[in-house]
Structure formats: structure tokens, C-alpha cells
Amino acid sequence: MSIDLPTGDTVPLFGLLVRQHRMRIGLTQRELADLSTVSVRAIRDLEQGRARRPRQDTVRLIADGLRLGARARADLESAAGEGRTSWAVKAGYEADPPAPPFAIDVQLGREPETAVIVDELATGAERLVTVVGIDGVGRTRLAIEVATRMHAADRTPVLWCPVTGPTSGDRLSTLVRAAADQLLGDSTHPADGTDAIAALVEIVADRPPLLVLDGVREVAHPGRLVQLLRDCPGLRILVTAAFPLGVPGERHFLLNPLAVADEGEPFDAHAPAVRIFMERARRYRPDVDPDARETALIAEICRRLDGIPQAIHAAASWLVVYDIATLHHCLHDGPSGLLHHLAGPDGGTSLRDALERRLSTLPTAERDLLDALCGQGETFDLAEVMALTGRSLPDSGRAVRALVLRGLVRPWYTGGQSRFRILHLVRAAQLCALDVRV
């Protein structure tokens, strides 16, 4: 297979795969040359398309140097023996539209959000939707559900690209990753000169897919996404990101944590957050059968964890060593104790690290405002922000909106008035960070 460039040149898929695998494991061309005993010049020529028909022993040596598994090695060997066959990928794409990843768990409590996004993308009312929200809230899981429903409804092709994670390694996934790197990165084309975006458009133009870019951190040149939508009418793009990308025409979809009862209010034992806790708890203690008092404590645990699914998962895993009352006590024993229990008993800290990383990278003005608000309490309104900062109402509204779209603050409507609540986990992390800075 080869990728067609606008100039009429071609870069064989073999060269693209070699470069993709080499960069995935962090090797330079010189390091691959040393491992494979193939010359640096030969590797460079293959990656740049100047050498098009590698010998069988060269393919074997490069595959050995890259430490490829059986499937990836077979793909590499197949690519080495092919000529100009990009039509084969296109034919396979159209005959068997790719599907999204399989979800291993049931999504709870997200039916309204799922239905809205599916409707907007399926009807074409929106073509670029970015799901934003705090880490652990379930952005990826929601994207899988949306993509699954669209694929099931009319076999919409789904091109799933985990921006910071591994792909499946097949030819189409490799091309999608190269196009995503080109869309989101600084350079116009990858180092090998391949225009992966143009190649992708050629393959999918007759049957536009849903392109899912999962875990986007930033977009260096927003105009490339806009141009892709123009070049491929009918294409829909679903993005999951920490905050909006700033792309013209982007639809921001804020994914809030699951609803939980406010302190002192009646709780629903069948609420999604409570059900998630119980489902996860029974993985560790199949015999758990809470009475009415323990169920109330579970509802309070979910409230303390802001209804964030991944935080609930982490806390429930502590039932390996705690009873429900002890877990409840630990989560209410100060900010550091709350943050500590974002890790399971095995010590994993991914959610806590992600939260602290997000707070540490806030623009100075937003971090200062959050510091000040955390010192005032859990809830506030715009009048309090104005009094606290001396800013005008529009400026205060913009500042709070930025915190809301980052998932750090949650809107709260009562008595016809807008109020806002700082998430417990955010407030705990910010207070701990303040102690460190002091």
C-alpha cells in the first residue's frame, strides 16, 4: 500500500509503518540501525519513500529490531510486498465499516447526555463536538457509547483514535493516527513528508465516518480541523478533552459529574452514583449487603466524591480493607485523607495526579481566583466573585465560566438564581496545594 500525495508522489505504507513503530518505542533512526544491522541510510530511504521494494531479509531485520509481535510483523511483511494498493484499504473500509472499541462496563446515568450528542451528530446539526469535564468524569466512556449507538443505527464508520495511547496497529488505524498527529501538532506534515490528512480524506470521502479523537490536550493550529470538515462533507468529529479546543464552529459539551443529593437532603438508593459504588464494591466484597444506615453512608460518600465515577471506583476498592463506616470516616477526615483515597489500596495515583496536574497548569488568573474562592467556602455566586475580586459582572462571569468549562466548578441553580459549587475534590487539592506553597 502507498499513500497518495497531492504532488503525485507516493510514500509506501511500509515506510510509514516502520516510522510509526520506531517512534512509538522511542528509537532514532540510528538506534534502529544499530539494533537491526540495517544502515541508517536504508532506513531513512524506506521511511521517506525513496526506497520502495525492501528485500525480504531487510524486512526481517527491521521487524526484529522493532521487536514486533506476530500481527504487527505480518502487517509489515504484507506492506513490504505490496505496490500501490491504497484502494485495498478504501475497499475494506467501505465493505466492513470500522466499529468503536468495545465497552467492558455498562454506562449508568448518562442517557440524556448520550441522546443529545447522538442526535446532534447523526442529524448533522453539529459536526464538531468537544466533550469537556474534569478527569474521571467519564468522557471516554460517553464517547464510546455515542459512537456505538451511531455505528449500530446505520453502520456509521467509526475511526477511533486515542491521541496519547496505542492504536490497534492495522493499516487504517496507523493512517488515522498519522492524520491526527498532523491535525493536532505543530508541523504541516510529518517528518517523512506524508500528507496523511489528504490520504484519509481520499479513503473516507464516499462514506464519511465519525472520527473520535480521545484525550486531546491541545490543538496547535485549529484551522486544520476546520479545513478537514470542509474537505470532507458529512464527516463528524467527536473530541474528548480537558477543556474546549478553541476551534471555530466547535460545540462545547460540558459533562458534569453524576447528580448526588446535597448534604441533609433525602437520597435515592437507586441513583446512578450509588449504583456505581455498589457495582464496584461487589467486585471486592461479593457479600456486601448494606442496611439502610450503610446505604445512607454510601450516598454521603458519593456526595463527598462529587459523583465522579472514577473517584467512586477508587473509593469502593477500599472495601477490601475497610467497612463502609470506616471508609465514610476517612473521606470526611480532611482534604489530605480525601485525596489519599482517590488511589485504591494498591497505591495507584492516576486520578489524583491528573487532578493536581490540571490545577497546576491553570492560568495564573484562574488559579488565583480558585485560591480565593476555596478560602470562602464551597458555594458562591457572581456577586461574591465581584466583591472578592473587584471585577465587573461580565469579567466575573467570564472567569467563572472558564472554571466551569474546565470541570472544576459546577453550576447550581436554586430559587431562580445561579450559584456555583467548587467540587470537594478540587477544593481539597487546592487547599493542599496552598499549604505546600505557603
Side-chain angles (χ1 to χ4, degrees):
M1 174 186 177
S2 59
I3 293 178
D4 298 338
L5 303 179
T7 60
D9 295 331
T10 62
V11 174
L13 179 61
F14 179 84
L16 181 63
L17 287 175
V18 170
R19 180 177 181 275
Q20 175 82 12
H21 288 304
R22 176 176 63 77
M23 297 189 70
R24 176 177 55 82
I25 60 178
L27 293 179
T28 64
Q29 290 178 338
R30 166 60 66 184
E31 289 169 337
L32 178 56
D34 291 340
L35 289 171
S36 65
T37 71
V38 176
S39 72
V40 174
R41 179 176 179 178
I43 291 172
R44 182 176 61 248
D45 288 346
L46 287 167
E47 289 190 359
Q48 294 181 355
R50 289 195 289 267
R52 298 171 177 274
R53 297 186 180 276
R55 294 181 299 178
Q56 187 173 359
D57 59 339
T58 300
V59 176
R60 175 180 56 79
L61 290 170
I62 289 178
D64 290 343
L66 291 169
R67 305 290 195 273
L68 297 183
R71 179 176 177 179
R73 180 183 290 266
D75 276 348
L76 194 69
E77 292 172 347
S78 177
E82 292 183 358
R84 187 183 176 114
T85 57
S86 60
W87 59 268
V89 174
K90 181 178 178 68
Y93 165 84
E94 294 179 345
D96 186 17
F102 178 75
I104 61 174
D105 60 340
V106 175
Q107 181 175 249
L108 294 174
R110 296 299 192 191
E111 181 57 36
E113 295 95 331
T114 303
V116 167
I117 299 178
V118 168
D119 179 68
E120 290 180 349
L121 290 171
T123 61
E126 300 289 349
R127 294 185 60 202
L128 174 59
V129 176
T130 302
V131 179
V132 297
I134 195 167
D135 299 277
V137 78
R139 300 187 305 257
T140 297
R141 182 63 185 86
L142 178 66
I144 291 176
E145 190 69 20
V146 169
T148 298
R149 294 193 187 186
M150 291 182 65
H151 183 77
D154 59 3
R155 289 177 61 79
T156 297
V158 175
L159 301 180
W160 185 278
C161 182
V163 172
T164 59
T167 64
S168 61
D170 61 71
R171 299 172 190 177
L172 182 57
S173 296
T174 298
L175 176 58
V176 172
R177 166 57 64 80
D181 290 345
Q182 198 174 322
L183 282 168
L184 306 175
D186 288 316
S187 60
T188 304
H189 301 303
D192 61 8
T194 302
D195 189 345
I197 297 177
L200 181 65
V201 170
E202 180 182 350
I203 288 172
V204 307
D206 293 336
R207 187 168 186 181
L210 172 67
L211 172 62
V212 183
L213 301 175
D214 182 36
V216 174
R217 293 177 179 172
E218 61 181 347
V219 179
H221 298 284
R224 293 181 192 165
L225 278 170
V226 176
Q227 189 61 48
L228 174 60
L229 291 169
R230 290 173 180 164
D231 291 343
C232 192
L235 170 69
R236 281 72 49 87
I237 303 177
L238 177 61
V239 177
T240 68
F243 46 85
L245 306 181
V247 177
E250 174 187 19
R251 192 278 209 239
H252 308 153
F253 190 97
L254 175 61
L255 185 62
N256 281 311
L258 294 168
V260 291
D262 288 330
E263 187 172 7
E265 290 186 353
F267 66 89
D268 179 1
H270 301 289
V274 175
R275 291 170 60 196
I276 286 175
F277 182 95
M278 289 304 305
E279 184 275 334
R280 187 63 51 151
R282 289 186 172 119
R283 296 187 183 190
Y284 301 97
R285 285 180 50 191
D287 62 336
V288 66
D289 185 20
D291 57 23
R293 175 180 171 276
E294 290 175 324
T295 302
L297 291 179
I298 290 172
E300 179 62 18
I301 287 170
C302 294
R303 185 189 72 82
R304 186 68 172 161
L305 295 169
D306 302 302
I308 297 174
Q310 190 175 339
I312 294 172
H313 290 171
S317 71
W318 280 94
L319 294 186
V320 171
V321 291
Y322 291 165
D323 54 55
I324 293 172
T326 300
L327 176 59
H328 176 270
H329 172 75
C330 290
L331 294 181
H332 287 71
D333 194 30
S336 61
L338 177 60
L339 294 179
H340 180 72
H341 288 82
L342 292 182
D346 60 357
T349 59
S350 59
L351 181 55
R352 177 175 178 173
D353 289 347
L355 176 60
E356 292 177 344
R357 183 169 55 251
R358 177 178 290 214
L359 292 174
S360 69
T361 56
L362 281 176
T364 301
E366 293 177 24
R367 184 171 63 249
D368 290 346
L369 175 58
L370 195 58
D371 284 347
L373 291 171
C374 285
Q376 299 295 309
E378 291 184 7
T379 67
F380 62 92
D381 60 19
L382 290 178
E384 291 173 271
V385 174
M386 293 168 63
L388 191 63
T389 64
R391 299 178 183 178
S392 66
L393 178 60
D395 285 345
S396 297
R398 278 190 287 270
V400 172
R401 180 179 184 272
L403 295 177
V404 169
L405 288 179
R406 290 180 183 275
L408 306 176
V409 169
R410 185 170 186 173
W412 175 38
Y413 305 101
T414 178
Q417 300 295 316
S418 296
R419 289 190 64 81
F420 305 90
R421 176 181 286 111
I422 303 171
L423 299 188
H424 293 102
L425 297 180
V426 170
R427 189 166 185 267
Q430 197 71 356
L431 290 174
C432 288
L434 278 171
D435 289 341
V436 171
R437 294 203 294 270
V438 171

